[in-house]
Amino acid sequence: MFKTIAITIVVVILGILAFATTRPDSFSVQRSTTIRAPADKVFPMISDFHRWAEWSPWEKLDPAMQRTFGGPAAGVGTTYGWTGNSKVGEGKMEILKADPTSKVDVKLDFIKPFEGHNVAEFTLSPKGDSTEVLWVMHGPAPFITKLMGVFVSMDAMIGKDFEAGLANMKAAAEK
């Protein structure tokens, strides 16, 4: 009886591991919102890492988080590093592209709790007196990400944070 249970458990674990290998090699999460403000008001909130405290959902998770800023004050080459509790981990961001009022691309390197190298893209599209903001994060899905994806999707894990961040950005920009 014990041997049958042990074999069943091993077969289930091997099945989960095998299924994980069939998952996609990359992931993408995206959310959008419309902000009643011109793009030239929204753009600096994204292209200046000092302003992320106004809207980023992760900024409030660890009041003792250590932050470092480098490069120019805003735009291409600006860097932002953080080290914090288990909720925020450790990582670094760098702005790779900053087209005024239309696009900001950010290289995002997570160090802890899991290593990850992704790109976040913010696209701003003027819509009359408003701006549609599309926030997309994409990157490779190594085996550990694929394995986690068997139980919970990246979209479910990160999507709610994007929604909160965009809501915060909207509230700050519409003041």
Side-chain angles (χ1 to χ4, degrees), residues 29-148:
V29 176
Q30 71 177 37
R31 296 293 189 275
S32 66
T33 194
T34 300
I35 298 174
R36 286 186 317 269
D40 63 356
K41 184 172 182 182
V42 178
F43 178 79
M45 296 176 75
I46 302 167
S47 66
D48 180 352
F49 286 137
H50 296 92
R51 297 207 44 202
W52 280 43
E54 296 175 40
W55 61 270
S56 173
W58 298 287
E59 289 287 328
K60 296 167 183 57
L61 293 178
D62 181 3
M65 183 168 58
Q66 297 174 11
R67 300 163 179 85
T68 57
F69 298 93
V76 175
T78 300
T79 62
Y80 171 72
W82 73 92
T83 303
N85 64 21
S86 62
K87 292 179 184 176
V88 297
E90 181 180 351
K92 182 178 181 182
M93 297 188 290
E94 178 181 357
I95 295 181
L96 300 175
K97 181 178 183 178
D99 291 338
T101 70
S102 66
K103 180 104 169 149
V104 177
D105 290 349
V106 178
K107 182 174 105 175
L108 182 55
D109 294 314
F110 295 103
I111 299 167
K112 292 178 185 176
F114 298 105
E115 183 176 353
H117 305 284
N118 307 311
V119 173
E121 300 173 353
F122 295 87
T123 304
L124 287 69
S125 303
K127 304 285 184 198
D129 64 347
S130 298
T131 303
E132 181 181 30
V133 179
L134 174 64
W135 184 0
V136 179
M137 184 171 77
H138 57 86
F143 182 74
I144 189 71
T145 302
K146 292 178 181 188
L147 185 58
M148 287 172 32

Side-chain angles (χ1 to χ4, degrees), residues 35 166-175:
I35 298 174
L166 289 170
N168 294 341
M169 185 186 296
K170 178 180 175 81
E174 291 179 353
K175 280 185 189 177

